[in-house]
Amino acid sequence: GWLRALAPALVGCLCYLNSLDGEFAYDDGAAIVKNKDVTGGGPILLPAIWEHDYWGQPLANSSSHKSFRPLTTLSFRLNHHFYGLHPYSYHVVNLLLHLTISFLVGLLAQAVCTPAGKCERGGG
């Protein structure tokens, strides 16, 4: 049932609980702190989110590295809107998103795979 799907997600979360108090690291400076698509004003659903790469550069620019992640940028933007540039909130939201997705993948695996570990193939 749902408990078997939740267990791996909780174990994963336990592994990362010690990171909640950490600072921004590695590419967070470019992806969050210096990214105007995240920190800039204007409406939450800023049109530029759909036209820029993950780093806030226009996708049409030759300097863009074409990593298009609008939902990630939107989650950063929402986080900034409500909590500013406090790393703790970004870490909590990220952990909750991972918990949720891991749980849903666990449920999907249970729906597709038999108790013996064999997975059924779809199609006809």
Side-chain angles (χ1 to χ4, degrees):
W2 65 269
L3 192 56
R4 281 194 342 207
L6 186 59
L10 288 175
V11 169
C13 282
L14 287 174
C15 292
Y16 286 96
L17 279 178
N18 66 341
S19 71
L20 293 179
D21 289 325
E23 295 297 320
F24 287 126
Y26 304 110
D27 61 358
D28 293 340
I32 298 171
V33 178
K34 296 178 183 174
N35 187 341
K36 294 299 180 199
D37 290 343
V38 173
T39 62
I44 293 292
L45 289 173
L46 188 68
I49 288 174
W50 311 104
E51 300 165 356
H52 290 173
D53 65 17
Y54 180 68
W55 313 104
Q57 299 298 316
L59 286 165
N61 273 8
S62 60
S63 64
S64 168
H65 100 25
K66 312 293 188 235
S67 57
F68 185 61
R69 302 182 222 172
L71 296 179
T72 302
T73 304
L74 179 60
S75 76
F76 292 161
R77 186 166 174 80
L78 286 168
N79 205 316
H80 180 268
H81 176 78
F82 290 107
Y83 304 106
L85 286 174
H86 299 287
Y88 182 83
S89 66
Y90 291 82
H91 295 153
V92 168
V93 168
N94 196 35
L95 195 60
L96 291 174
L97 288 172
H98 281 290
L99 171 73
T100 303
I101 296 303
S102 298
F103 174 66
L104 292 174
V105 168
L107 289 177
L108 178 64
Q110 287 182 43
V112 173
C113 298
T114 66
K118 295 192 179 213
C119 297
E120 299 176 16
R121 290 189 174 183

